């Protein structure tokens, strides 16, 4: 490193060129903005704005013109004649400095040396030669040779001022400096007046040494399918040579140049296009170079811009040389404004790259000796160009996949939730009733975002060593594969499938919960929500490729927060009274049923089988390059499914070694020296923690065969679901029953949904159904004699009414909780919650008011011939928590002009109990389905032997004539662990189990057929493969 042309200069000095050489070094030692300081050891240290300026001042110092420092306007240089011997100090007074900028591409200094005024100038060759006096043929040849070697050049010149010329310039310069508007433009105009007719002193050529692994990085980026545009201020020859040395250009490429000096003018775009077409090459073999002057001409018209864009889009590489920062930004804007709207990434290391970095969607600044302007204006900062490999191919790809997965999952979970609400709309008469209670549903966004949040931040779908060895994997983000239409449709289909599984499993399990006294609208909605939460968390785990303590912990936190919410809200009387009183006690009744727990197991289990099956078909018929690479890794493992950790980050020590290597004092490269200098001072700012350095524990599950995974999942799920379904059917069939239908409406027409729920439950035998409508027609009292075919032990009596929408939105909300709890209420509150016909009856105020309280089921049932004292004991059927909440008002029943429950429902609601009557309290809990099943009485310690004739007395008061397809039934049934006779839940589980076996069978058969097809086509494949060239294979991989 450094300047090594001393011997040649000494030879030239002896040949009589000493003065010209001194003038050249004098310009380099004086015309700059370098500051000189001394370190602790007294050694002279230069601080420059750019490494080029530092190199020029240091070279001048090595050749005997050592810049010593400046104070105010004075500048000192120690001059050693011939580079050796005693030195003398030369003092210069700096009168004006015309700063460098991207437009001027030069800087100049006006100094006074004795009685002389000299303007020393250095700048880009094209700018300097335009303002030089005379011709410089040899210099142009030398500059071209320097460019061919990939060197960065500057031309040095000077101009001596005539007497009085300096004073005129300084006067204009001072005036321009005092301007408050457009100061820079006016200063540049003043400088332009004197920076002409200059004498050329010489030229400098600085090696722009490549950082480590630049060609390799360029090659990997190209393999990733990314188009490269190199925008530089270097000469055309320099840019071309650097392009070849960095592998931006290759010998196999057809290179076309748009530059007048090369014989191609900006007006001849058609010729360039014809040359490309005549070559017949693919886009990967086409490259284009264009100069800044040509760009200026092309950008002056829309046709020129469009023509250039059309050609550039058909090339894999574009190199624009001798371009200004503004032109760099214009090039980025040009490609961004195309119809394809590509994503652009700009990489730069200097201040002249800032406009380009700011114009691109993603800006990357390289922190080096060029300063920190690029870093300060970028989105990401790296220390060396080679780190772009990991930034783009590893972290960029990971983050795209994470963001896509997070986005699709968010839409998926919202769709599942909304689809379940939509399914339930059929059950609530399209009244707008939400399946979930409002305060439970409010937790959805928090609880169901936590599991995917960790995945969206930390998931790694492919190990980094595979990504770096297979840059083609970057196409996942470049082609938007993870957010493609196919992926979106798959997400939509998955959401529909999951919502159907959730809906049918919970819907079929609900009748059993009703019979067990735990089923109402609120319990059903909370059960569905709990299953939904489990399904969402399962889905997040299923989509995770790399499991970490954070992803696993987020799932547990989601469950824990939900359990805590159920404990704090619906399990606490005070909290539920403030939010939703009817939710009080719901969790306790929900969790005590076996049906609920089976739902929690069956839903994620069958959902997992579906997901694995869909994954198998997706990998089998439409595998991506990522899927193929993961299969290679998995097939290399020792077992069917392996937990793998990328080799690069196996231990904390390896990561620390990488950091230590980066800051090692033994490093030879200039970038490493700069990095060591920076990190030595600011190492405390670097986060070396486990989280920042990705040293957290993580496991990657890789399965060798998707068909094997589907087979195992299907078999396990099928066996479990069939066992659960068989047990459910067994418990259902073991509950003997007798169902008596004693009333129907005159209008049999009903909707399909109402018709389904009007039918008797699944598993009901013909001899268990008794039609007594003829006995009880046109009368309020009737007696039905029932012959028992089976023994009923401790039977439960419950009634069924339908179609009846207790879950209808307006019906559910028509109640005044404060009035039910015995508090004094205002007439305003009654008007808000109760419609007029439910507030007044026969001129009296109805208490409690509301549609629910004024539509109580008031049929009664008695069994006369089994020694029950003539009347069934109906107490103990309602929730104790509700009975505790309900209270009669303090002035009950003496309040004047009031219609009480016992007056309207004589014989059904007792005067002593009032609103605390079990039948009324149970009725006030709305049913979740378009029919009502309510417990009426429990015959404890009673056995009704087979062959007995039961004499059932029915008092029919509840009107159903206005209900289309209306019916009323009373049921005597035994109670089992999962309710009474309703085999629908068991059938649903059995069907799910059979489908699980079917999915696994299809996967195995499909895999077998695929293997045999390969065997049949093996010879043909080998023939085709044998003719593929190595080059063609890489193109196929790229595609």
């Amino acid at each position: 490193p450094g300047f090594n042309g001393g011997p040649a200069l000494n030879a030239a000095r002896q040949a009589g060129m000493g003065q010209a050489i001194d003038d050249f070094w004098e310009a380099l030692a004086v015309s700059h903005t370098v500051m000189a300081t001394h370190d602790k050891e007294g050694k002279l240290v230069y601080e420059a704005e750019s490494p080029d300026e530092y190199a020029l001042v240091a070279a001048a110092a090595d050749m005997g013109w050592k810049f010593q420092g400046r104070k105010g306007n004075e500048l000192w240089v120690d001059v050693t004649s011939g580079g050796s011997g005693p030195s003398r100090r030369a003092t210069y007074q700096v009168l004006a400095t015309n700063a460098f900028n991207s437009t001027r591409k030069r800087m100049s200094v006006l100094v006074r040396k004795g009685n002389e005024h000299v303007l020393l100038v250095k700048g880009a060759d094209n700018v300097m030669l335009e303002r030089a006096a005379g011709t410089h043929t040899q210099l142009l040849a030398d500059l071209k040779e320097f460019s061919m070697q990939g060197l960065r050049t500057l031309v040095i010149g000077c101009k001596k001022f005539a007497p009085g010329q300096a004073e005129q310039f300084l006067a204009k310069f001072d005036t321009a400096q005092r301007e408050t508007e457009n100061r820079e433009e006016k200063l540049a105009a003043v400088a332009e007046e004197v920076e002409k007719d200059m004498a050329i002193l010489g030229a400098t050529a600085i090696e722009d040494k490549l950082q480590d692994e630049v060609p390799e990085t360029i090659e990997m980026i190209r393999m990733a399918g990314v188009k490269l545009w190199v925008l530089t201020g270097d000469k055309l020859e320099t840019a071309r040579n650097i392009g070849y040395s960095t592998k931006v250009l290759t010998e196999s490429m057809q290179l076309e140049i748009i530059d007048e000096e090369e014989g191609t003018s900006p007006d001849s775009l058609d010729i360039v296009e014809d040359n490309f077409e005549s070559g017949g090459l693919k886009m990967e073999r086409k490259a284009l170079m264009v100069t800044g002057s040509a760009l200026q001409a092309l950008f002056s018209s829309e046709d020129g811009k469009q023509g250039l864009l059309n050609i550039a889009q058909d090339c894999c590489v574009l190199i624009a040389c001798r371009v200004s920062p503004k032109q760099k930004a214009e090039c980025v804007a040009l490609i961004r404004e195309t119809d394809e709207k590509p994503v652009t990434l700009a990489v730069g290391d200097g201040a002249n790259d800032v406009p380009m970095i700011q114009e691109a969607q993603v800006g990357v600044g390289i922190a080096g000796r060029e300063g920190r302007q690029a870093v300060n204006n970028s989105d990401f900062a790296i220390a060396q160009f080679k780190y772009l490999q990991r930034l783009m191919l590893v972290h960029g790809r990971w983050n795209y996949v994470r963001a896509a997965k997070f986005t699709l999952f968010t839409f998926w979970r919202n769709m599942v939730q909304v689809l379940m609400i939509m399914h339930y709309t059929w059950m609530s008469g399209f009244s707008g009733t939400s399946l979930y209670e409002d305060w439970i549903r409010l937790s959805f966004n928090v609880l169901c975002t936590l599991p995917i949040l960790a995945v969206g931040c930390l998931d790694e779908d492919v190990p980094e060593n595979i990504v770096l060895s297979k840059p083609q994997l970057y196409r996942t983000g470049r082609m938007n594969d993870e957010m493609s239409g196919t992926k979106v449709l798959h997400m939509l289909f998955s959401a529909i499938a999951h919502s159907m599984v959730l809906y049918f499993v919970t819907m079929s399990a609900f009748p059993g919960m009703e019979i067990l006294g735990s089923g109402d609208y609120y319990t059903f909605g909370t059960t569905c929500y709990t299953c939904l939460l489990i399904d969402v968390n399962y889905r997040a785990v299923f989509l995770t490729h790399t499991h970490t303590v954070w992803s696993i912990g987020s799932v547990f936190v989601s469950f824990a927060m939900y359990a805590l919410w159920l404990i704090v809200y619906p399990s606490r009387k005070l909290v539920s009274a403030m939010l939703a009183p009817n939710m009080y006690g719901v969790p306790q009744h929900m969790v005590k049923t076996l049906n609920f727990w089976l739902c929690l197991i069956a839903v994620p289990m069958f959902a997992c089988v579906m997901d694995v099956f869909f994954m198998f078909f997706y990998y089998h018929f439409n595998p991506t390059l990522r899927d193929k690479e993961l299969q290679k890794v998995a097939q290399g493992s020792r077992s069917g499914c392996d937990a793998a950790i990328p080799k690069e980050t196996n231990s904390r020590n390896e990561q620390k070694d990488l950091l230590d290597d980066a800051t090692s004092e033994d490093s030879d490269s200039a970038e490493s020296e700069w990095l060591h200098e920076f990190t030595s001072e600011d190492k405390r700012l670097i986060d070396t923690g486990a989280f920042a350095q990705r040293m957290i524990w993580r496991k990657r599950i890789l399965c060798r065969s998707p068909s094997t995974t589907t087979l195992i999942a299907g078999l396990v799920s099928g066996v479990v679901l069939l066992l659960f379904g068989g047990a459910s059917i067994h418990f259902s069939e073991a509950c003997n029953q007798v169902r008596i239908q004693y009333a129907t409406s005159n209008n049999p027409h009903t909707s399909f949904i109402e018709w389904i729920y009007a039918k008797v439950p699944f598993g009901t035998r013909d001899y268990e159904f008794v039609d007594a409508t003829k006995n009880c027609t046109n009368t309020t009292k009737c007696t039905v004699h029932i012959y028992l075919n089976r023994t009923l032990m401790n039977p439960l009596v419950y009634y069924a009414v339908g179609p009846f929408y207790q879950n209808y939105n307006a019906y559910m909300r028509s109640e005044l909780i404060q009035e039910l709890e015995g508090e004094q209420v205002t007439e305003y509150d009654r008007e808000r919650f109760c419609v007029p016909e439910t507030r007044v009856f026969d001129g009296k105020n109805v208490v409690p008011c509301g549609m629910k309280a004024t539509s109580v089921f008031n049929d009664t049932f008695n069994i006369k011939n089994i020694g029950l004292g003539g009347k069934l004991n109906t107490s103990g059927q309602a929730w104790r928590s509700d009975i505790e909440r309900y209270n009669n008002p303090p002035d009950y029943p003496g309040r004047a002009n009031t219609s009480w429950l016992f007056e309207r429902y004589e014989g059904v609601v007792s005067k002593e109990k009032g609103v605390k009557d079990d039948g009324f309290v149970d009725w006030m809990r709305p049913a979740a389905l378009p029919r009502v099943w309510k417990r009426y009485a429990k015959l404890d310690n009673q056995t009704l032997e087979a062959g007995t004739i039961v004499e059932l007395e029915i008092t029919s008061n509840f009107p159903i004539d206005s209900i289309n397809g209306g019916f009323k039934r009373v049921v005597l049934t035994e109670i089992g662990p999962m309710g009474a006779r309703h085999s629908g839940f068991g059938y649903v589980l059995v069907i799910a189990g059979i489908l699980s076996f079917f999915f696994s069978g299809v996967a195995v058969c499909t895999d077998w057929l695929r293997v045999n097809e390969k065997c049949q086509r093996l010879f043909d494949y080998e023939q085709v493969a044998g003719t593929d060239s190595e080059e063609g294979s890489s193109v196929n991989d790229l595609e």
Side-chain angles (χ1 to χ4, degrees), residues 84-144:
S84 60
S87 64
R88 60 179 177 82
R89 172 155 296 189
T91 302
Y92 301 85
Q93 185 175 6
V94 180
L95 302 178
T97 300
N98 299 308
F100 175 90
N101 61 42
S102 58
T103 304
R104 286 168 40 77
K105 296 184 181 181
R106 62 190 183 278
M107 70 91 63
S108 61
V109 176
L110 177 62
V111 298
R112 181 166 57 201
K113 181 178 63 173
N115 295 324
E116 280 187 321
H117 291 82
V118 181
L119 184 69
L120 302 175
V121 190
K122 62 181 179 183
D125 51 6
N126 58 333
V127 174
M128 293 293 291
L129 293 177
E130 288 176 359
R131 291 159 175 78
T135 58
H136 304 277
T137 306
Q138 182 59 43
L139 179 62
L140 287 172
D142 293 338
L143 289 172
K144 186 172 184 178

Side-chain angles (χ1 to χ4, degrees), residues 31 61 163 167 169 222 255 312 322 430 533 561 564 576 590 705 724 792 818 821 829 881 918 976 990 1002:
S31 179
E167 288 75 9
F169 166 75
R222 177 179 284 113
L255 178 62
R322 277 299 186 216
F430 298 95
L533 179 65
M561 290 179 65
L564 180 63
S576 59
M590 178 179 66
S705 172
F724 286 170
L792 301 179
Q818 293 81 356
E821 295 177 351
D829 290 331
S881 57
D918 283 69
V990 168
V1002 170

Side-chain angles (χ1 to χ4, degrees), residues 968-1039:
K968 292 193 293 185
R969 297 170 187 152
V970 61
V971 183
L972 282 72
T973 180
E974 293 180 320
I975 302 297
M978 300 181 67
R981 179 67 60 79
H982 194 292
S983 303
F985 186 40
Y987 292 150
V988 168
L989 295 181
V990 168
I991 291 173
I994 294 173
L995 286 176
S996 298
F997 286 127
F998 173 76
F999 290 154
S1000 61
V1002 170
V1004 172
C1005 292
T1006 303
D1007 196 56
W1008 180 81
L1009 291 174
R1010 180 179 63 86
V1011 171
N1012 280 269
E1013 182 183 0
K1014 276 191 172 181
C1015 294
Q1016 295 172 3
R1017 298 179 57 189
L1018 181 60
F1019 179 75
D1020 293 337
Y1021 171 77
E1022 290 178 346
Q1023 283 185 331
V1024 174
T1027 60
D1028 282 345
S1029 65
E1030 186 176 311
E1031 198 170 14
S1033 299
S1034 68
V1035 171
N1036 290 334
D1037 288 343
L1038 181 62
E1039 293 175 349

